Amino acid sequence: MATSINHAGQWTQKPATTDPTNIVNKWAVFIQSQSENKTFWFLLSLVFQGVFFLPLPALLIYYFNAPTLIVVVTLTLFFANIIAGMGGAGIKTLLKLFAASIVIQVLMAIICIL
């Protein structure tokens, strides 16, 4: 006897799919896949910024007569990454802050050189 209680419905739920061609969706999938590597990304951002971006103000100020505001921006981004990583921020925050600091530092260097 088929009743509405034990009758298999014809409606099936399909898993939600994301559009893999959208860059925002690719970024979200990448962030979700890196959630267990939060410490790695924190240390990578500190090493990367310490090696490439902390010496940048000295180079720009000495050779290109850049304003000293560059030191403030560089140290603010560096310490923001330290506070976010040690303060227990999520992987989404860490990766966004790391990407934003790279973009800001590169743009700042290009503007000062030109």
Side-chain angles (χ1 to χ4, degrees), residues 3-23:
T3 62
S4 64
I5 294 174
N6 61 5
H7 179 64
Q10 295 178 358
W11 303 98
T12 58
Q13 289 185 346
K14 295 181 181 176
T17 58
T18 58
D19 184 16
T21 59
N22 189 354
I23 193 159

Side-chain angles (χ1 to χ4, degrees), residues 49-62:
Q49 288 183 10
V51 170
F52 293 112
F53 294 141
L54 285 181
L56 188 65
L59 177 94
L60 292 175
I61 291 171
Y62 185 74

